[in-house]
Amino acid sequence: MNTDNFGDALAEQPCGSSLWRLLSSLERLFGLSVGQVRAAGSPPKLPNVCLADCLERSPGAVETRGCAWLQAMLRDGHPPALPPDGRCQRNHQIHVPSDFGSGESGRIFALRPVQGAPPVASEVPDHRLAEVWDEALDAIERLVQQLAQREEENVRLVDEVLQSYEQLNILFEVTRASVSMSRPQEMYDFALDRLSTALRASFACFLDARGDFDRSTPRFSQQNELHDTYYRLVSTEARAALHQAITVGAAQALEFKTRPTRASLLIVPLISGTESLGAALFGRPLTDTFRTGDCSMAEAVMGQVAITAHKMRLFQDLQQMSFDVVGALVNAIDAKDDYTGGHSDRVARWSVMLGEALDMGEDDLQMLAWAGRLHDVGKIGVRDDVLGKPGRLTPEEFEHIKLHPAISYEVLKPIRRLAHVLNGVRHHHEAWDGSGYPDGLAGEQIPLEARIIQTADVFDALTSSRSYREAFTLEKALDIMQAGAGEKFDPDLVSLLVSMMERARTEHPDLFERIPQDPRDRDVDVGGSRP
Amino acid sequence: MTRILVAEDDRHLQRVISLWLERNGYEVQCRNNGRCALQAFHEWCPDILITDVNMPEMDGVTLARTVLAEVQRPVGIVILSCRVDMIGIGVELGDPRVIHHAKPFSPSRLVEELETLTREVARLAPPSEWSPCEWT
């Protein structure tokens, strides 16, 4: 039998169809139906072309019904003794390899109708016929084996491609998410969650740089008892190996085979630059160990995450530091004037509350918080004897103190990152009717943020004790503001402040603790209130 | 067996998706553009459509709209795209059975999403055993 053509066909065709071509050629040329014996219960060697499939797809499908020999063959996985005439009950000539042992799987056998089939190599003398059949079956068997190998390789390649897609997808998502995420923790949670799914992990968690459970990070496990197993494993048997892996800094798949802590682990150290940030740990049952592809996927993703998270942390630190520096500056001002202790922070909070009530965006609220804290920075340039003077100020002193918004502006102007707060700071003493300072703006000429800070500033000043008067009660302070609405203050903002008092009281009770609650109608000259 | 029709003009991706879905027990057919996919939708009656957006002849969004308008039985649709503007496509088309899956696709998540979608489609399917396709 010439098998060269089949070889060519195999080179060109995907597995399933080349086997089909092989089978139909055998059928057409020799009237042969070919089958493969599999051991009972063994997984199919050719996922798409197992025996049943061969039989179905073969043009002259081998019909097992009514054929005890074939049924026994399929049931037992080896051919029973041949019938005396070498024919099965359905009058097919049976050909099996002469060295076909019991229980042997993967062997090829052939059936050929006794009548109506084309003659097989009629020039072959009878005594050589068995030999020719052996050769032919051997050749077919080799081809099927080749096909099986190719199919296995195909499956492996497909696995690799799928894993690459998975990896690409996670990397894309991590990159996209890093734009919108601001906390390293969010980033870690996200990556751990996505990798757990992609790796089919039954357990996932973070370890700190010493190899201990990082209790601040989430853990995923499908079952609680599993969770305990992994927990025990990490804290006892696997401890040294995990620590070692973190020190070396390379992803590693580990297997632990002693009961009761049998599992396979994948540890992926998190490294940014030279700093170890701990490791991500994934667990799977021992029957499903982690492979090289899993390692490289987890390493690629976690590598990206570690670097991004590290940068986020640096950014957070810098942000915190600038906030603290501003805090120090504000404290310096507050220390200059005993009576304004905490004033700047409260103005910031009330301003943000007003901003929230106006549905302002996150960026604008941030700006209000900064502007609120910094609005009085210019008092650094106001003389101490004026700032702390009990009683009424002389006109000259009043003119002096009125310089502070403009000074605030000049102090903050060089700080590029604070450019967005300058308007609010400079104009927080403008008046609705244009009688304010430093620029005499009126109505909506005054930037909204400045009007907000002014509203918060006046409200906090009225409800605080000063060197020249006692604090007003909440009711009195609001009365005073309502009286000045449309004259000194933005009437809409004053109404807004009044309407949000109840909510503010529930959400920020500490702001109310220092405001005198009992209405004490004291007759104080409002005009004497100072900036 | 749940039938999935894949409309995707990249042959390699088509093959990877169909191999993966077959391995997860779905019956899969592939088409190279929206027009062929629409025809297959009527002839083969799939339960779920997975479609790319940018394709020759008919794009994925037009295909999805047409399927929603023309097909009476409940179907699930997965829009496969790397375009950020496609993320809200389910809301835009006003149908919870239209979901977006980002490219490069995630094999593990696609299968999870398909399971959910299959359940959703089955929940909305008419109680009778036959599908209208069997009568055509």
Side-chain angles (χ1 to χ4, degrees), chain B residues 57-131:
Chain B
E57 308 241 2
M58 183 193 280
D59 68 271
V61 177
T62 312
L63 172 64
R65 278 185 208 279
T66 317
V67 164
L68 287 177
E70 288 183 5
V71 178
Q72 295 305 311
R73 72 209 150 78
V75 288
I77 299 179
V78 180
I79 308 274
L80 205 59
S81 170
C82 53
R83 280 167 51 181
V84 184
D85 58 325
M86 285 293 144
I87 290 172
I89 188 73
V91 182
E92 198 182 314
L93 295 180
D95 196 316
R97 285 164 297 142
V98 181
I99 59 171
H100 169 261
H101 188 98
K103 259 185 183 176
F105 86 108
S106 150
S108 63
R109 283 221 303 194
L110 185 63
V111 164
E112 276 181 8
E113 287 167 2
L114 285 174
E115 275 170 22
T116 319
L117 207 52
T118 310
R119 274 199 303 275
E120 183 71 2
V121 171
R123 197 175 62 79
L124 291 167
S128 54
E129 287 295 312
W130 58 272
S131 98

Side-chain angles (χ1 to χ4, degrees), chain A residues 404-469:
Chain A
H404 83 271
I407 300 176
S408 298
Y409 178 83
E410 293 303 323
V411 168
L412 299 175
K413 207 167 70 174
I415 308 177
R416 246 187 318 163
R417 291 290 305 241
L418 289 178
H420 59 303
V421 310
L422 290 176
N423 270 336
V425 168
R426 182 177 175 92
H427 299 294
H428 78 274
H429 275 292
E430 304 287 358
W432 191 252
D433 60 5
S435 64
Y437 54 90
D439 298 328
L441 303 180
E444 295 194 346
Q445 281 181 326
I446 311 167
L448 176 63
E449 60 265 37
R451 283 178 270 146
I452 291 176
I453 288 167
Q454 180 192 44
T455 311
D457 184 29
V458 173
F459 175 74
D460 187 69
L462 289 173
T463 52
S464 305
S465 296
R466 289 298 169 94
S467 57
Y468 48 92
R469 63 155 170 80

Side-chain angles (χ1 to χ4, degrees), chain A residues 255-511:
Chain A
E255 286 171 37
F256 296 91
K257 294 181 174 165
T258 23
R259 285 179 186 285
T261 51
R262 287 153 53 94
S264 54
L265 297 180
L266 173 63
I267 179 158
V268 192
L270 303 169
I271 301 158
S272 177
T274 51
E275 193 187 346
S276 170
L277 308 172
L281 183 72
F282 301 92
R284 274 201 321 220
L286 203 50
T287 45
D288 187 17
T289 53
F290 289 102
R291 284 171 298 173
T292 324
D294 298 324
C295 270
S296 47
M297 170 157 83
E299 207 165 23
V301 173
M302 279 303 174
Q304 174 77 23
V305 168
I307 292 170
T308 314
H310 189 62
K311 294 222 163 107
M312 277 181 185
R313 192 167 301 153
L314 287 179
F315 180 73
Q316 270 185 334
D317 287 352
L318 276 177
Q319 211 174 26
Q320 186 60 45
M321 193 178 89
S322 51
F323 206 77
D324 292 346
V325 168
V326 168
L329 192 62
V330 171
N331 288 343
I333 311 307
D334 284 0
K336 218 167 126 73
D337 182 357
D338 287 344
Y339 285 94
T340 58
H343 170 70
S344 305
D345 273 331
R346 290 193 301 274
V347 170
R349 288 173 67 186
W350 282 109
S351 302
V352 170
M353 273 188 269
L354 282 163
E356 281 169 351
L358 287 170
D359 270 337
M360 292 172 101
E362 192 54 42
D363 287 350
D364 286 337
L365 295 177
Q366 278 283 333
M367 178 270 288
L368 281 177
W370 285 93
R373 297 187 85 200
L374 290 166
H375 75 285
D376 270 347
V377 156
K379 283 194 177 166
I380 208 146
V382 175
R383 294 201 311 271
D384 287 357
D385 59 307
V386 177
L387 210 54
K389 182 182 176 187
R392 211 174 254 276
L393 297 177
T394 67
E396 180 270 324
E397 286 167 337
F398 204 76
E399 285 308 310
H400 177 63
I401 213 168
K402 275 164 69 174
L403 292 173
H404 83 271
I407 300 176
S408 298
Y409 178 83
E410 293 303 323
V411 168
L412 299 175
K413 207 167 70 174
I415 308 177
R416 246 187 318 163
R417 291 290 305 241
L418 289 178
H420 59 303
V421 310
L422 290 176
N423 270 336
V425 168
R426 182 177 175 92
H427 299 294
H428 78 274
H429 275 292
E430 304 287 358
W432 191 252
D433 60 5
S435 64
Y437 54 90
D439 298 328
L441 303 180
E444 295 194 346
Q445 281 181 326
I446 311 167
L448 176 63
E449 60 265 37
R451 283 178 270 146
I452 291 176
I453 288 167
Q454 180 192 44
T455 311
D457 184 29
V458 173
F459 175 74
D460 187 69
L462 289 173
T463 52
S464 305
S465 296
R466 289 298 169 94
S467 57
Y468 48 92
R469 63 155 170 80
E470 289 287 299
F472 291 108
T473 63
L474 183 64
E475 292 72 17
K476 181 72 185 166
L478 291 177
D479 281 351
I480 294 169
M481 292 190 71
Q482 274 167 325
E487 189 190 331
K488 297 286 177 198
F489 320 124
D490 178 340
D492 291 342
L493 285 175
V494 174
S495 316
L496 188 66
L497 182 74
V498 173
S499 67
M500 70 180 214
M501 272 303 146
E502 276 319 302
R503 213 179 122 201
R505 195 191 286 275
T506 26
E507 287 174 13
H508 304 269
D510 58 307
L511 283 174

